[in-house]
Amino acid sequence: MAGGETSGGHLTLLGVWPSPFVIRARIALNLKGLPYRYAEEEDLFGNKSELLLSSNPVHKKVPVLIHGGKPVAESRIIVEYVDEVFPASGPRILPADPYDRAVARFWAAYVDDKLLSTWIQVYGGRTTEERAEAARQVVAVLETFERAFEECSRGEAFFGGERVGLVDVVLGGFVGWLRTSEEMCGVKIIDHAKTPLLAAWAERFCALDGVKEVIPDVQRLVEYNKMRRARLGLP
Ligand SMILES: N[C@@H](CCC(=O)N[C@@H](CS)C(=O)NCC(=O)O)C(=O)O
């Protein structure tokens, strides 16, 4: 099926390339091997497209997946949606066992509740010291993920075990940004000495087909962050 056509109609993803939320939705679609049209919002912070405003009138944020004309918003919901709607396409992202599924959802939520809220100051903190302090706090959050990896992976390559699962996709969307921390504030966040399992996981995950194409290059993200900071009047 070409041009985004699937059994329930065309798939279109509205996004912007640097967004960790969009990246996770793209990873899920890619890993499932689903054809979709990717539509980049040209001016997300100045002039949102009519399609975005009408598809996600509550949050007005990307990503939005439009399936056969019906919008699905919120990245984690999109990841779960494509896995549920296309169970036979590609590998399953959600575990079959209800307890394992609950655990995966717990850690996926922790990415947004804790990692994102801590990291946001690395991105938007006022001074280099504020940003470096936020980066040190992110390292502490990753130490928690190091322990979670040990528990969830059961000695295999991914949080999902032998195969990529929900936590891999949700955390994986952030890896590009976590890798830019050293250039942004002088503190390395993905640190082989402090979180060796996670550092090895990040390399393994980013080398996968369907993932490597959508994780942005560090220098491109650094330049993007400089541009956003200038627009926000941050030094
Ligand atoms: N909880 C949302 C967050 C999405 C989000 O924050 N998207 C940002 C781009 S990274 C956005 O669209 N921002 C536009 C705005 O704030 O107006 C999700 O998981 O999809």
Side-chain angles (χ1 to χ4, degrees):
M1 286 177 281
E5 179 67 24
T6 65
S7 54
H10 276 84
L11 287 170
T12 298
L13 185 74
L14 310 183
V16 289
W17 66 267
S19 164
F21 308 104
V22 173
I23 294 167
R24 63 171 69 144
R26 298 191 75 180
I27 290 174
L29 288 159
N30 291 350
L31 292 176
K32 300 287 287 176
L34 295 165
Y36 63 99
R37 186 174 78 84
Y38 174 66
E40 178 85 10
E41 276 293 306
E42 285 187 3
D43 187 5
L44 180 66
F45 296 101
N47 184 21
K48 295 178 204 280
S49 71
E50 280 308 316
L51 186 56
L52 173 58
L53 293 173
S54 60
S55 310
N56 190 0
V58 175
H59 293 302
K60 306 177 179 67
K61 290 185 178 190
V62 290
V64 179
L65 180 71
I66 304 172
H67 184 202
K70 293 188 292 189
V72 181
E74 288 292 313
S75 59
R76 284 184 359 239
I77 295 175
I78 293 171
V79 173
E80 294 208 14
Y81 177 79
V82 296
D83 197 42
E84 275 178 7
V85 174
F86 304 103
S89 189
R92 291 306 304 256
I93 294 175
L94 286 161
D97 177 76
Y99 182 75
D100 291 346
R101 205 155 59 233
V103 172
R105 285 181 172 139
F106 173 87
W107 288 115
Y110 195 70
V111 173
D112 288 353
D113 295 344
K114 189 68 182 173
L115 181 68
L116 172 67
S117 60
T118 311
W119 173 82
I120 205 71
Q121 280 299 102
V122 180
Y123 184 88
R126 206 156 179 90
T127 62
T128 308
E129 190 35 52
E130 250 175 61
R131 303 178 83 187
E133 177 47 33
R136 286 189 281 273
Q137 288 176 23
V138 175
V139 173
V141 177
L142 288 194
E143 282 168 347
T144 305
F145 274 104
E146 177 86 356
R147 292 189 290 277
F149 182 83
E150 229 175 332
E151 199 182 305
C152 297
S153 67
R154 297 173 180 142
E156 302 287 352
F158 299 105
F159 281 92
E162 279 176 28
R163 285 198 314 255
V164 164
L166 182 67
V167 187
D168 297 284
V169 174
V170 169
L171 182 59
F174 266 105
V175 169
W177 278 112
L178 298 178
R179 284 176 167 170
T180 64
S181 64
E182 202 163 6
E183 304 236 11
M184 275 163 53
C185 67
V187 176
K188 204 178 172 102
I189 287 182
I190 303 186
D191 188 333
H192 278 269
K194 291 189 176 138
T195 51
L197 295 175
L198 215 59
W201 163 83
E203 279 170 24
R204 208 178 296 127
F205 182 74
C206 291
L208 293 174
D209 288 338
V211 176
K212 58 175 180 266
E213 301 87 330
V214 294
I215 305 277
D217 172 68
V218 166
Q219 212 43 50
R220 195 174 176 209
L221 288 173
V222 170
E223 291 310 317
Y224 178 83
N225 184 237
K226 280 188 193 152
M227 181 275 288
R228 284 294 301 151
R229 290 178 65 83
R231 281 209 194 163
L232 294 167
L234 291 165

